[in-house]
Amino acid sequence: MTQLTPPYHDVRQHPLTRGKNPMTIKAINTHLLEQPLARPFESSAMRFSVRRHLLVEIECDNGLDGWGECLGNADINAAIVNAMSPHLIGRSALDIEPIWLELYNQFRDQGQRGATVNAISGIDIALWDLCGKYHNAPIYQLMGGAFRDQVPAYATGGFRQVGVDRISSLLQEVQGFLDAGFRAVKIKIGFGIALDIESIAAVRELIGPDIRLMIDANHGYDAVAAAQVIRLAAPFDIDWFEEPVVPEALGSYRRLRDLNSIPIAGGETWHTRWGIAEALQQGAVDILQPDVGGVGGLSEARKLLTLCDIHGVRCVPHIWGTDIALAAGLHFHAIIPPSPPAFEAESAWLEFDQSDNPMRAVLLKHPIEMIDGMVRIPSGPGLGIEVNRDALSPFYRKP
Ligand code: CA
């Protein structure tokens, strides 16, 4: 057995592939897309007046290309992906784990959490897309097989629209979700306890007892206020309370979870196996919400399933971005084991953002759709999607 010694910048010199040329990376393209919104909207502490996303495209010498997407600030992600590119050129795109480890090793001194890992995530997703295309198989198949071919979707919305009445605009939006066929809805809170409870009560009255309802404070409360929200919101049958407090406050998460009232969810800004392990070891959440585009890509996301299993925590992925991020999230959904491992276990709900995004449903030749509350997992090679290049150009930043 040959002992391999990284790094292998030149795949042609790799002991296992010397002379075989199995799909060498020749270029990494970053596509920074942005579009101002007609009407800004707000979560508890952020205003969205423009949509901005970073797509990562990796081109190989055999003509195949793979696509990924990074969660988080697109400008920062683009800079880091470009800084990482020299480590990818000339390597085999099939060396996904060796590339992950090398990028992390090379850049960990720049940050073991946050933007560095967001950048690796987009690259990792693109490599999995390439791997699937190379083997003519969907990613979930290469990761061990799917537990399901479709997932129930919940509508993410209920942001605060700027300049309009909160309650009436919220109810109008939620009614639209019901009309579209959603059977679960997540609304934003964190705009003051009284208004939040009034919003929750009004939405529950509108949707009736059979539609699921989740609340997301985007860490807009501290532990004292969040505990009060839990006490007042519990009678309205809430599936989970997401990001009640800032993600650093693991002790506060634990205290809220110990109230044993509404299940506590979080994790969209926790990164890698180390960040997630720290949160789970402290008993921070009932429901973990890793984002494939931020937690370290599909390679890292699948490792977290073992951590969730060991700690008795459900995995319900966070998804935010374009249809490329959604496709990556769907492949992750496919491989989440049922919890509990029983016939009657329901699938984790798919986060399907419904807030204003002009890029949604136009970047792919066949957009990802929700039908009767369900979304099918793409079954074509790789991510199973086809990016419509012509649709990208209107969103490139104007000079
Ligand atoms: Ca959230």
Coordinates of all heavy atoms in Angstrom, one line a residue, residues 154 156 186 188 216-218 242-243 268 289 318 351, ligand 1:
Y154 N -42.0 23.6 3.9 CA -42.7 24.6 4.7 C -42.3 26.0 4.1 O -41.2 26.1 3.5 CB -42.4 24.6 6.2 CG -41.0 25.0 6.6 CD1 -40.7 26.4 6.8 CD2 -40.0 24.1 6.9 CE1 -39.5 26.8 7.3 CE2 -38.7 24.5 7.3 CZ -38.5 25.8 7.6 OH -37.2 26.2 8.0
T156 N -41.1 29.7 4.2 CA -40.4 30.7 5.1 C -40.8 32.0 4.6 O -40.7 32.3 3.4 CB -38.9 30.5 5.0 OG1 -38.5 29.4 5.8 CG2 -38.2 31.7 5.5
K186 N -43.5 29.2 8.4 CA -42.6 29.8 9.5 C -42.6 31.3 9.3 O -42.4 31.8 8.2 CB -41.2 29.3 9.3 CG -40.2 29.7 10.4 CD -38.9 29.0 10.3 CE -38.0 29.7 9.3 NZ -36.7 28.9 9.1
K188 N -41.5 35.3 10.9 CA -40.4 36.0 11.6 C -41.0 36.7 12.8 O -42.1 37.3 12.7 CB -39.8 37.0 10.7 CG -39.1 36.4 9.5 CD -37.9 35.5 9.9 CE -37.2 34.9 8.8 NZ -36.1 34.1 9.2
D216 N -39.4 32.3 14.1 CA -38.0 32.5 14.0 C -37.6 33.9 14.4 O -38.1 34.9 13.7 CB -37.6 32.2 12.5 CG -36.1 32.4 12.2 OD1 -35.3 32.7 13.2 OD2 -35.7 32.2 11.1
A217 N -36.8 34.0 15.5 CA -36.5 35.4 16.0 C -35.2 35.9 15.4 O -34.8 37.1 15.6 CB -36.4 35.4 17.5
N218 N -34.5 35.1 14.5 CA -33.2 35.6 14.0 C -32.4 36.2 15.1 O -31.8 37.3 14.9 CB -33.4 36.5 12.8 CG -34.0 35.8 11.6 OD1 -35.2 35.8 11.4 ND2 -33.2 35.2 10.8
E242 N -37.1 29.1 16.5 CA -35.7 29.1 15.8 C -34.9 30.4 16.2 O -35.5 31.5 16.3 CB -36.0 29.1 14.3 CG -34.7 29.1 13.4 CD -35.1 28.9 12.0 OE1 -36.1 28.1 11.7 OE2 -34.5 29.5 11.1
E243 N -33.7 30.2 16.5 CA -32.7 31.2 16.8 C -33.3 32.2 17.8 O -33.4 33.4 17.5 CB -32.2 32.0 15.6 CG -31.2 31.1 14.8 CD -30.3 32.0 13.9 OE1 -30.8 32.7 13.1 OE2 -29.1 31.8 14.1
E268 N -28.0 27.6 11.9 CA -27.6 28.0 10.5 C -26.3 28.8 10.5 O -25.8 29.0 9.4 CB -28.8 28.9 10.0 CG -29.0 30.2 10.7 CD -30.3 30.8 10.3 OE1 -31.4 30.3 10.5 OE2 -30.3 31.9 9.6
Q289 N -30.2 22.9 12.7 CA -30.5 23.4 11.3 C -29.2 23.8 10.6 O -29.0 25.0 10.3 CB -31.4 24.6 11.5 CG -32.7 24.3 12.1 CD -33.6 25.5 12.4 OE1 -33.1 26.4 13.1 NE2 -34.7 25.6 11.8
H318 N -31.3 24.1 7.3 CA -31.6 25.5 6.9 C -31.2 25.7 5.4 O -30.2 25.2 5.0 CB -30.7 26.5 7.7 CG -30.8 27.9 7.3 ND1 -29.9 28.5 6.5 CD2 -31.6 28.9 7.7 CE1 -30.2 29.8 6.3 NE2 -31.2 30.1 7.1
E351 N -37.0 23.7 4.1 CA -37.2 25.2 4.2 C -37.3 25.7 2.7 O -36.3 25.6 2.0 CB -36.0 25.8 4.9 CG -36.2 27.3 4.9 CD -35.4 28.1 6.0 OE1 -34.4 27.5 6.5 OE2 -35.9 29.2 6.4
Ligands
CA1 CA -33.6 31.3 10.3

